[in-house]
Amino acid sequence: MSRAMQCRSCLPWGSWAQLCLAGSRGTRGVSVCAAAVPGPAGRCFLRKILCTGSISLPRGCVRYQGGSQENSAQPGSSRPGQSQLRNVASSGAIKKHQKSLSAWFSHQPNEERQFGPSFSLDAVHVDPVIRESSLEEILKPSPDLTIQNQLQQPRRKVISLHNLFDADACGRQVKNVVLYGTVGTGKSTLIKKMVVDWCHGRLPRFELVIPFSCEDLSHSHAHVSLRRLITKKYQHLRDVVPVLEASNLRVLFILNGLERLNLDFRLAGTELCCDPSEPVPPSAIVVNLLRKYLLPEASIIVTTRPSAVRRIPGKYVGRYAEICGFSDTNLQKLYFQMRLSQPGCSGEESQDGSSAEQENLVEMLSRNLERHNQITAACFLPSYCWLVCTTLHFLYFTRTVPPSQTLTGIYTSFLRLNFSGEVLDSTDPTHISMMKYVAKTVGKLAYEGVMSRKTCFSEEDLQQCFEVEMKTESELNLLEVFRSDVFRFFLSPCVQPGKEHTFVFTIPAMQEYLAALYVVLGEKKTLAQRVGKELSEVIGKVSEDVAVVVNIISKVLPLRFLPVLFNLLKIFPRYFSRVSGKDRDTIAHTMAEELFKEEDYYNDDVLDQINSSILGVEGPMRHPDEAADDEVFELFPIFMGGILSRRNRAILEQLGCSIKNLAAFEIAKAMKKTVIRKGRRGLPPSELMDYLFFLHEFQNERFTAEAIRSLRAVNLSSVKMTPLKCSVLASVMSTTCHEVEELNLTSCNLDSGSLRTLFPVLLRCKALHLQLNSLGSDACKEIRDLLLHDKCVVSSLRLANNPVGEQGARYLAEALAGNRSLSQLSLLHTALGDAGTEAIAQHLAENQHLQELNLGYNSLTDTAALRVVEVAKRHETLDKVHLYFNDISEDGKRALDSLRMDRDGVRALVFLTAGTDVSDYWSHILNVVQRNLPFWDRERVRQHLTLLLQDLESSRSQTANPWRKAKFLRVESEVKKMLGKLQDGSL
């Protein structure tokens, strides 16, 4: 009977909403499951074996029902194996076994160490909800997959991991347990925690635990005995194994990933075996252990995906248990609290600041979960909770970005953690990898959604992508397995009101990743391309054989046209390979078009979009009737570039998704014609940040260097430059050493740490804009080191509207004394005061290159202003000093007005007038006021504008020249207009 006929948990093809998904029944709105509480490691010990005097009955007399054993053995005499086992225990064999298992199972995968601090299972672990199930429950069709139906499902009994072997409802002892769950529910992690608990004495029910990976067993084809299998993997047990059968030792076998094995419980398929020393195939050992024909006293726990549950006949199973994930938001919050609050999570920064940031992240995430957003449905799967924490660590606590630290790398490694090269169905002859199947089917759905700019998919959409091309029984069986085991990992019911019967990608960014993978793998083909490829492969396979036959025939018969005809036929595969090479151009063109879409120019950059999707957007929630914003898919081209990086291609190769080096090379070559050319255009700041992030994700140093050399000006104003973005900017800019004409980092939330990260980039910038960044004295210390560096080329530095203060001014004064490149320095509105200005004046004489100095709006009095001007008179190059909006008296104004460029060599910009004429710089001063008004004290600005107006009126009354009077009236009207707008709040 085919699997399509056997699988009763999946419904007929007409309804995609009625899917049998592990964890979908009764897994919402449940009480919190007890979490594994961190604590001191329990002491490892072996329980003393007592001589109970029990006599074991022959195997044929022991009764089993559904894997549950009747307690029919009666007390009797002691067995001779007890004393021998006691000697083994005293020798510490099992203790060595515990130590070895603890070291192995406590080991975290590479992804844990690579994308954040590594945590032990004892430090960070929350048990998912486990619910008792039954074979009837598994085979029963599911209701519509909606959030409402999940909440209304009857709750099944919750059972803890340590109570899985408790007696069943009929009082029978449970020996065989099947623990099943869909991909991502945490089966492997739960088993690791179980083993670690036993090693630390927290699982006293069993005196010996022997774990086996069914994946390892599936790769072994040689016959082997159970004893040899155990001692081969666990050498410490070589003294325990010989007495394993004769003792009363409570043994637990763990068989992880049963879906990897093809088991045959028919006697004709797998013979009976009761001797642990008899060599048989590994699958026969598993079958006889589950039959209770081999080591009947042993307990067995099997983990598997839902589609493989039916491989074990129900009569051999004492309890079915389903892992339901984090089906309550309290479990999700607990996980995030434990994971994000670990001491090593935030790196090496100060503990106080990092701790506050960690607490803020947890609080924002908790509020977003309480809104029952889509992220709540996503974090139902523990694996997605890991992805959320890893992404937040990447966004907030990344200080440097080595090549391995990319967003695409996080998603690729996340898929490896969950799929690790598994085949979708071990019984299918094609042995297609699970990830390859996902890329071809779910990737197609994701791509079509990106192209049509939609994130919600109806049943019809799913049918178009999954069912249209079903041709064979094998394809139908594969689809059934996918629906049962994998579907919920990628797609879940939408939580938005009115869209309950539609599906969305569990994590929004996963849609863009899979769409990118679908395109880069070359799965996006037209009908002509698919037919041409198949025809080319057929012709290529038979061409050599036919060539031999034709050559023989042509020598015997005078058929000269045959070789010519066949040679023409052989041209087709070569021609098709050239035509298929155009696919690379298409991929490059798609990448460029999506990367530089003008309708996305003024969105937030992609890193901020990811942050908002996880932590939510603070403020009032959108009304259900309010029109939604257009969907944005700016990560799609970035993921395309990231997937082409060498490291990600190597990981995808392990998952069965091969991208050849030649294909990646040709795509990169084609991209130079489009991506770099479009990147030269002036891009808005957020779009430029996306472009830089794309170059970082692409991880192609030669390509990045050519792209960066074409950028002479980099404008990132108003982009929130987090440590990650600063690291990305520094990383991509480091691929070249060319000078940058202008770097605009105005209002980018920079601090001293940001300047340290960007130090190599800042050295090469001629014009540097750092206004509106709250840069204090610590940052000025970094700027001092920058300006004193022998490779510094900064000629224009703008620090307006930063709290530099007196101490910061001292650092800058030291920098002025030793700098050889700076010609323009703006310290407008930097809280210098007289003391800070005096410090600058003292070192100004040592500078030989400064031409313009802006000290406006710094509360300077006459003394400080005149002191700076006196130094400027003697300076060789300084010819302009800005002193407007300071506390300068009428006497000071008259002294400054008397300065003449031809006589004193310097001009002071103080007021809008110059004696009895209008200053040449009046429009410049008013423009400066208008640009900075949102950041200045409005009352103080109003007072200064009033003084300027009075000065204009006074100077106008002192001149009789009608031309000058007209100029005064024009400037007065501009000042009055600005005062009026300031008063009514329109400016």
Side-chain angles (χ1 to χ4, degrees):
M1 183 181 295
S2 69
R3 173 164 311 153
M5 297 297 294
Q6 293 174 352
C7 181
R8 303 299 299 167
S9 62
C10 300
L11 290 187
W13 298 114
S15 175
W16 271 89
Q18 296 179 337
L19 296 178
C20 176
L21 297 173
S24 67
R25 294 185 295 274
T27 57
R28 301 276 177 181
V30 297
S31 58
V32 182
C33 176
V37 180
R43 59 188 180 89
C44 299
F45 65 97
L46 180 67
R47 295 185 54 148
K48 186 177 292 185
I49 308 299
L50 300 177
C51 298
T52 60
S54 60
I55 300 176
S56 60
L57 296 175
R59 289 191 184 91
C61 300
V62 182
R63 300 196 303 272
Y64 300 94
Q65 183 175 357
S68 302
Q69 181 178 344
E70 300 281 358
N71 294 324
S72 51
Q74 301 295 329
S77 61
S78 176
R79 290 183 295 182
Q82 294 294 339
S83 59
Q84 186 175 357
L85 182 60
R86 192 178 300 110
N87 292 334
V88 172
S90 62
S91 67
I94 295 182
K95 289 185 179 180
K96 291 180 180 179
H97 178 61
Q98 286 178 321
K99 184 177 180 181
S100 176
L101 281 183
S102 178
W104 178 255
F105 279 85
S106 298
H107 177 76
Q108 297 292 340
N110 293 333
E111 287 76 11
E112 282 282 358
R113 299 189 299 274
Q114 180 180 342
F115 299 111
S118 180
F119 304 121
S120 67
L121 285 173
D122 282 341
V124 179
H125 180 76
V126 179
D127 285 333
V129 172
I130 303 175
R131 294 189 177 277
E132 192 165 1
S133 183
S134 64
L135 188 59
E136 294 75 15
E137 187 76 19
I138 297 170
L139 298 177
K140 185 175 65 176
S142 303
D144 288 352
L145 182 62
T146 62
I147 295 299
Q148 288 75 12
N149 282 338
Q150 290 179 26
L151 292 175
Q152 295 169 5
Q153 285 295 304
R155 299 180 180 180
R156 290 170 287 154
K157 177 184 175 183
V158 175
I159 186 170
S160 69
L161 183 66
H162 293 179
N163 295 330
L164 288 175
F165 289 92
D166 288 352
D168 63 12
C170 299
R172 293 172 301 199
Q173 182 182 356
V174 173
K175 286 294 186 180
N176 292 350
V177 173
V178 172
L179 186 65
Y180 68 95
T182 58
V183 174
T185 50
K187 298 183 294 295
S188 298
T189 303
L190 201 60
I191 290 301
K192 288 174 67 175
K193 182 63 169 58
M194 186 178 189
V195 174
V196 171
D197 282 351
W198 175 76
C199 293
H200 294 168
R202 294 192 291 268
L203 195 63
R205 180 190 294 270
F206 301 106
E207 295 158 332
L208 179 61
V209 171
I210 304 177
F212 282 114
S213 166
C214 292
E215 180 183 9
D216 294 342
L217 296 179
S218 68
H219 293 156
S220 176
H221 302 291
H223 287 210
V224 64
S225 67
L226 176 60
R227 289 183 178 179
R228 175 58 182 155
L229 192 64
I230 295 174
T231 55
K232 184 180 179 181
K233 189 172 182 64
Y234 305 107
Q235 296 181 3
H236 298 300
L237 299 180
R238 59 182 177 271
D239 296 329
V240 178
V241 169
V243 297
L244 200 59
E245 186 181 16
S247 68
N248 280 333
L249 195 66
R250 296 190 297 275
V251 182
L252 172 65
F253 285 97
I254 298 177
L255 303 174
N256 188 35
L258 188 75
E259 66 275 357
R260 305 290 187 95
L261 284 175
N262 295 329
L263 302 182
D264 189 351
F265 280 82
R266 299 172 303 163
L267 290 177
T270 304
E271 63 181 7
L272 297 175
C273 174
C274 61
D275 185 1
S277 301
E278 181 182 351
V280 293
S283 60
I285 293 177
V286 174
V287 168
N288 282 289
L289 282 173
L290 291 169
R291 284 172 174 168
K292 291 303 173 192
Y293 203 75
L294 184 62
L295 296 185
E297 301 291 339
S299 299
I300 301 173
I301 184 169
V302 174
T303 66
T304 185
R305 302 200 305 258
S307 64
V309 170
R310 292 167 297 280
R311 295 185 188 178
I312 306 176
K315 63 181 179 180
Y316 298 126
V317 180
R319 173 171 283 126
Y320 292 95
E322 180 184 12
I323 303 179
C324 299
F326 295 155
S327 55
D328 189 277
T329 55
N330 288 319
L331 285 179
Q332 300 171 11
K333 290 180 184 179
L334 179 60
Y335 180 90
F336 292 132
Q337 177 72 35
M338 296 176 67
R339 185 67 188 254
L340 294 175
S341 300
Q342 288 294 310
C345 183
S346 58
E348 301 178 355
E349 296 297 314
S350 63
Q351 290 296 322
D352 294 338
S354 61
S355 177
E357 188 169 18
Q358 288 172 272
E359 292 176 2
N360 184 48
L361 278 180
V362 173
E363 178 63 26
M364 292 178 67
L365 194 53
S366 296
R367 287 201 298 268
N368 201 22
L369 290 171
E370 289 169 359
R371 296 189 188 107
H372 298 287
N373 253 331
Q374 200 65 48
I375 189 175
T376 310
C379 292
F380 160 79
L381 294 172
S383 58
Y384 274 113
C385 292
W386 179 88
L387 180 61
V388 167
C389 289
T390 303
T391 306
L392 287 176
H393 185 275
F394 178 69
L395 293 176
Y396 281 87
F397 305 122
T398 301
R399 308 301 173 189
T400 58
V401 281
S404 60
Q405 288 276 21
T406 65
L407 186 66
T408 314
I410 289 176
Y411 275 75
T412 307
S413 298
F414 168 71
L415 292 173
R416 180 172 66 177
L417 277 175
N418 287 277
F419 295 97
S420 62
E422 287 188 52
V423 296
L424 182 60
D425 184 5
S426 60
T427 63
D428 186 79
T430 61
H431 292 288
I432 184 173
S433 75
M434 194 180 296
M435 197 61 230
K436 180 69 172 180
Y437 187 88
V438 167
K440 294 176 66 175
T441 54
V442 187
K444 180 182 178 182
L445 180 73
Y447 173 75
E448 292 182 356
V450 169
M451 290 297 101
S452 58
R453 301 181 78 83
K454 70 176 183 178
T455 57
C456 294
F457 303 93
S458 64
E459 287 189 28
E460 290 74 17
D461 296 327
L462 299 179
Q463 290 171 358
Q464 287 294 321
C465 287
F466 291 97
E467 300 179 14
V468 167
E469 298 182 5
M470 292 290 108
K471 300 176 182 178
T472 65
E473 182 76 5
S474 175
E475 292 175 337
L476 188 62
N477 291 338
L478 287 175
L479 183 57
E480 289 286 1
V481 174
F482 169 79
R483 295 172 71 181
S484 174
D485 297 349
V486 191
F487 180 84
R488 178 59 192 274
F489 185 83
F490 292 104
L491 293 159
S492 59
C494 184
V495 300
Q496 296 180 21
K499 297 183 179 181
E500 293 84 353
H501 293 278
T502 61
F503 295 89
V504 296
F505 277 82
T506 308
I507 289 288
M510 187 61 74
Q511 178 180 352
E512 297 174 78
Y513 181 93
L514 293 178
L517 184 61
Y518 177 76
V519 173
V520 174
L521 286 175
E523 296 294 337
K524 186 177 75 69
K525 292 183 175 70
T526 63
L527 179 61
Q529 288 174 324
R530 289 197 297 269
V531 172
K533 182 181 179 181
E534 293 176 2
L535 186 59
S536 174
E537 290 176 352
V538 171
I539 293 174
K541 288 178 182 178
V542 303
S543 60
E544 294 182 3
D545 297 334
V546 175
V548 174
V549 174
V550 168
N551 287 332
I552 295 173
I553 295 176
S554 63
K555 292 178 180 178
V556 178
L557 300 174
L559 301 176
R560 299 180 180 276
F561 68 91
L562 286 179
V564 176
L565 179 64
F566 185 69
N567 287 331
L568 290 174
L569 192 63
K570 289 171 63 178
I571 293 175
F572 181 79
R574 292 196 296 269
Y575 174 75
F576 180 78
S577 65
R578 292 180 181 177
V579 173
S580 63
K582 298 296 183 180
D583 291 347
R584 278 60 163 172
D585 294 337
T586 303
I587 293 173
H589 178 74
T590 301
M591 201 178 304
E593 288 298 320
E594 294 295 324
L595 189 61
F596 299 108
K597 270 192 172 181
E598 293 188 5
E599 56 262 40
D600 297 335
Y601 268 13
Y602 299 99
N603 299 324
D604 292 337
D605 63 79
V606 292
L607 293 174
D608 284 347
Q609 291 176 28
I610 294 174
N611 183 67
S612 298
S613 70
I614 296 175
L615 299 180
V617 179
E618 296 296 322
M621 298 183 65
R622 185 192 303 275
H623 191 274
D625 297 333
E626 185 179 347
D629 296 332
D630 290 337
E631 300 293 348
V632 179
F633 297 98
E634 295 183 85
L635 268 175
F636 169 56
I638 293 175
F639 277 143
M640 288 178 68
I643 287 172
L644 288 171
S645 70
R646 183 181 298 274
R647 180 181 176 277
N648 286 317
R649 284 190 287 117
I651 296 176
L652 288 168
E653 181 77 29
Q654 300 172 18
L655 297 177
C657 299
S658 178
I659 304 172
K660 302 300 182 184
N661 289 332
L662 180 61
F665 173 77
E666 290 178 347
I667 293 172
K669 184 178 179 181
M671 282 167 56
K672 290 183 180 181
K673 306 172 186 176
T674 53
V675 174
I676 294 180
R677 175 172 52 82
K678 292 189 175 185
R680 291 192 182 102
R681 304 181 311 191
L683 297 173
S686 62
E687 195 70 14
L688 179 58
M689 187 68 240
D690 289 346
Y691 181 48
L692 296 174
F693 189 60
F694 165 81
L695 295 175
H696 167 69
E697 293 284 314
F698 192 35
Q699 293 292 302
N700 186 322
E701 188 170 340
R702 182 180 299 177
F703 181 92
T704 301
E706 188 170 343
I708 291 299
R709 274 194 293 269
S710 66
L711 296 178
R712 291 296 174 180
V714 179
N715 180 12
L716 296 173
S717 60
S718 301
V719 173
K720 185 180 180 181
M721 294 298 291
T722 61
L724 172 61
K725 294 177 189 176
C726 291
S727 299
V728 168
L729 176 60
S731 175
V732 297
M733 296 295 288
S734 66
T735 56
T736 69
C737 56
H738 78 287
E739 293 183 358
V740 180
E741 294 295 332
E742 180 181 6
L743 176 59
N744 190 344
L745 296 175
T746 301
S747 188
C748 288
N749 293 80
L750 300 179
D751 56 17
S752 57
S754 306
L755 296 181
R756 279 193 296 272
T757 302
L758 294 172
F759 192 89
V761 179
L762 303 181
L763 283 175
R764 297 154 40 198
C765 299
K766 292 183 178 180
L768 189 55
H769 301 266
L770 300 176
Q771 306 97 299
L772 294 164
N773 278 297
S774 301
L775 300 176
S777 58
D778 291 341
C780 290
K781 190 175 181 181
E782 300 295 330
I783 295 173
R784 178 199 63 183
D785 297 339
L786 170 72
L787 294 176
L788 292 178
H789 198 280
D790 57 353
K791 294 184 179 180
C792 177
V793 299
V794 177
S795 61
S796 175
L797 175 61
R798 298 183 182 276
L799 288 170
N801 300 307
N802 283 297
V804 172
E806 179 182 345
Q807 183 58 46
R810 297 184 187 280
Y811 288 132
L812 294 177
E814 295 176 23
L816 283 175
N819 178 265
R820 298 293 180 268
S821 64
L822 196 63
S823 60
Q824 294 179 328
L825 175 62
S826 174
L827 296 174
L828 175 70
H829 191 218
T830 50
L832 299 181
D834 285 356
T837 305
E838 177 62 28
I840 291 175
Q842 289 177 359
H843 292 80
L844 196 56
E846 303 174 46
N847 180 280
Q848 303 299 321
H849 299 84
L850 194 65
Q851 299 175 9
E852 184 175 353
L853 177 63
N854 192 335
L855 298 175
Y857 202 157
N858 274 294
S859 303
L860 305 187
T861 61
D862 294 357
T863 304
L866 293 172
R867 172 81 170 97
V868 171
V869 171
E870 287 300 321
V871 175
K873 285 182 180 180
R874 300 189 295 271
H875 199 281
E876 293 183 4
T877 58
L878 184 59
D879 59 9
K880 193 181 300 180
V881 179
H882 300 251
L883 294 171
Y884 39 81
F885 276 62
N886 281 302
D887 300 332
I888 299 175
S889 66
E890 284 296 323
D891 293 337
K893 175 184 177 299
R894 283 192 292 270
L896 294 171
D897 280 346
S898 64
L899 293 173
R900 294 291 181 270
M901 187 65 192
D902 54 351
R903 184 189 67 200
D904 302 307
V906 65
R907 175 168 295 175
L909 280 63
V910 185
F911 288 94
L912 303 180
T913 59
T916 57
D917 199 357
V918 174
S919 171
D920 294 337
Y921 299 95
W922 71 268
S923 60
H924 171 78
I925 294 175
L926 290 182
N927 285 333
V928 169
V929 174
Q930 189 162 0
R931 284 198 309 269
N932 292 277
L933 190 57
F935 320 108
W936 289 358
D937 182 355
R938 288 176 172 263
E939 179 58 26
R940 186 170 180 183
V941 171
R942 189 190 63 78
Q943 294 175 2
H944 276 285
L945 287 176
T946 303
L947 290 175
L948 291 176
L949 184 60
Q950 293 174 357
D951 180 66
L952 285 169
E953 293 171 346
S954 174
S955 298
R956 177 167 54 85
S957 63
Q958 296 175 15
T959 181
N961 189 321
W963 174 246
R964 289 184 177 179
K965 283 184 178 289
K967 289 172 63 178
F968 275 115
L969 289 172
R970 179 190 172 192
V971 177
E972 286 176 31
S973 67
E974 292 293 331
V975 174
K976 289 178 180 178
K977 187 187 301 182
M978 190 175 292
L979 276 170
K981 290 183 178 180
L982 186 62
Q983 189 168 359
D984 60 24
S986 59
L987 187 63

